[in-house]
């Protein structure tokens, strides 16, 4: 394919090299320049796929200044790609200032779909995925973590965080303190890699599993928390749940929830959310 002059946002594998797309390889081969978060790290990936395109570093410390240089390259008719160390650029990675300045300069920004640790982990978590909030990394200091989590304590959406292995225990302890030890938590570690694991349970249970197993304190981590549930949502009567299960065998969940709510005098939204929570 022939590339037009544009900035191409190219996701790269988060672990399994087989997850890179043919289109991503084509773009990286054809652009004039690849802007990398770390040229040495990305050099290994590009070398694996036989990609010899020239590289330049673009990271948190030089992004604002480097953006104008890249715009000059675009003005000269060059197509340029942006990659991060792993996953989709800009998602807790550099690129925001570059994309913003490139758009303001009037050039196209072309996104390619591809790997993203947050979305990959969420779809296998068993937590509600109809509404979620990606919060990036929690603050490194305890007070900052607790304040951040307190501000999210009543958010009904599934909460998604990235976390580093040396802070995972502290972050889980902060979740227990700020969100409660009964909050449902799923920790995804090393997603798409050889030692991929998912730990699921209450915040207290997951914390204990991680503290007792040093292997769970290694690698790349996505931490997910069930959103806040009102007392009404948490106390759906068993008889209503049984009705919902029977109806959902024959009907879409929304319709089943509406009928079950009418039968038992409950709110349909509460039943619908409960149905999502238990995987109906």
């Amino acid at each position: 394919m022939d590339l037009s002059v544009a900035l191409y946002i190219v996701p790269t594998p988060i672990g399994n090299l087989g997850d890179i797309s043919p289109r991503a390889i084509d773009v990286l081969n054809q652009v004039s320049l690849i802007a990398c978060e770390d040229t040495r790290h990305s050099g290994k990936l590009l070398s694996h796929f036989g990609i010899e395109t020239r590289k330049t570093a673009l990271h948190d410390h030089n992004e604002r200044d480097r953006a104008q240089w890249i715009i000059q390259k675009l003005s000269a008719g060059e197509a340029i790609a942006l990659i991060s160390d792993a996953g989709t650029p800009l998602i807790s990675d550099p690129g925001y200032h570059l994309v913003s300045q490139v758009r303001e300069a009037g050039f196209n920004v072309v996104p390619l779909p591809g790997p993203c640790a947050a979305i990959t982990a969420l779809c296998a978590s068993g937590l509600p995925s109809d509404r979620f909030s990606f919060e990036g990394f929690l603050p490194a200091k305890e007070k900052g973590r607790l304040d951040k989590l307190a501000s999210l304590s009543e958010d009904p959406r599934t909460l998604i965080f990235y976390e580093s292995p040396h802070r995972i225990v502290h972050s889980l302890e902060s979740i227990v303190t700020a969100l409660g030890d009964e909050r449902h938590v799923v920790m995804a570690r090393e997603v798409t890699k050889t030692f991929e694991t998912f730990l699921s349970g209450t915040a207290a249970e997951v914390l204990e599993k991680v503290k007792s197993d040093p292997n769970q304190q290694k690698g790349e981590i996505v931490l997910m928390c069930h959103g806040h549930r009102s007392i009404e949502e948490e106390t759906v009567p068993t008889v209503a749940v049984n009705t919902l299960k029977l109806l959902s065998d024959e009907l879409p969940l929304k319709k089943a929830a509406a009928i079950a709510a009418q039968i038992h005098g409950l709110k349909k939204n509460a039943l619908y959310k409960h149905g999502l929570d238990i995987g109906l």
Side-chain angles (χ1 to χ4, degrees):
M1 64 178 177
D2 294 326
L3 297 183
S4 59
V5 175
L7 175 66
Y8 293 82
I9 311 300
V10 183
T12 55
I14 58 177
N16 190 319
L17 294 181
D19 292 335
I20 196 167
S21 72
R23 184 184 176 199
I25 293 174
D26 284 344
V27 168
L28 294 174
N29 269 314
Q30 291 192 50
V31 292
S32 301
L33 179 70
I34 301 173
C36 311
E37 184 178 0
D38 184 329
T39 54
R40 290 171 299 178
H41 179 93
S42 295
K44 297 175 184 178
L45 173 74
L46 298 173
S47 176
H48 176 84
F49 290 104
I51 298 168
E52 299 180 351
T53 306
R54 186 162 58 101
K55 302 182 295 296
T56 188
L58 185 136
H59 45 70
D60 288 330
H61 303 294
N62 74 351
E63 181 182 352
R64 291 174 186 269
D65 294 333
R66 205 65 172 160
Q68 289 304 309
W69 180 78
I70 288 176
I71 289 171
Q72 291 176 11
K73 296 292 184 183
L74 292 167
S75 298
E78 297 185 33
I80 297 175
L82 172 67
I83 63 175
S84 61
D85 286 349
T88 301
L90 281 79
I91 309 301
S92 280
D93 281 325
Y96 162 72
H97 297 292
L98 172 62
V99 169
S100 179
Q101 290 186 46
V102 167
R103 284 201 172 279
E104 286 180 6
F107 292 99
N108 289 334
V109 178
V110 180
L112 276 65
C116 174
I119 301 302
T120 305
L122 176 62
C123 71
S125 69
L127 294 173
S129 56
D130 57 329
R131 297 182 68 216
F132 57 89
S133 177
F134 175 66
E135 298 292 334
F137 285 89
L138 283 166
K141 295 184 178 180
E142 182 180 19
K143 184 180 185 304
R145 281 198 306 274
L146 291 173
D147 288 346
K148 178 65 173 179
L149 288 165
S151 73
L152 298 168
S153 62
E154 295 188 1
D155 193 322
R157 299 170 294 180
T158 295
L159 304 174
I160 306 175
F161 306 96
Y162 286 162
E163 195 48 275
S164 60
H166 68 276
R167 287 206 305 261
I168 184 59
V169 170
H170 298 306
S171 289
L172 285 167
E173 289 173 339
S174 295
I175 287 171
V176 168
T177 299
L179 304 184
D181 57 6
E182 291 297 315
R183 183 70 69 102
H184 190 183
V185 167
V186 177
M187 189 185 95
R189 187 179 68 87
E190 294 290 85
V191 175
T192 79
K193 300 178 185 177
T194 302
F195 298 104
E196 173 182 290
T197 57
F198 281 77
L199 297 180
S200 180
T202 66
E205 290 170 343
V206 173
L207 171 60
E208 185 56 36
K209 291 175 185 176
V210 173
K211 289 173 69 175
S212 64
D213 184 357
N215 287 325
Q216 298 303 323
Q217 300 173 40
K218 300 176 182 178
E220 304 292 330
I221 296 169
V222 182
L223 196 55
M224 297 163 283
C225 302
H226 198 295
H228 174 73
R229 286 183 286 188
S230 65
I231 294 176
E232 178 184 74
E233 291 175 303
E234 293 176 349
T235 56
V236 176
T238 301
V239 64
V241 175
N242 291 337
T243 301
L244 182 62
K245 288 178 178 178
L246 288 171
L247 290 169
S248 65
D249 286 340
E250 303 294 335
L251 298 169
L253 180 57
K254 283 188 177 181
K255 183 66 174 177
I259 295 173
Q262 188 173 11
I263 292 172
H264 296 286
L266 301 171
K267 292 188 176 180
K268 63 181 180 181
N269 285 343
L271 278 169
Y272 176 67
K273 289 180 180 179
H274 188 81
L276 290 174
D277 290 347
I278 63 177
L280 296 181

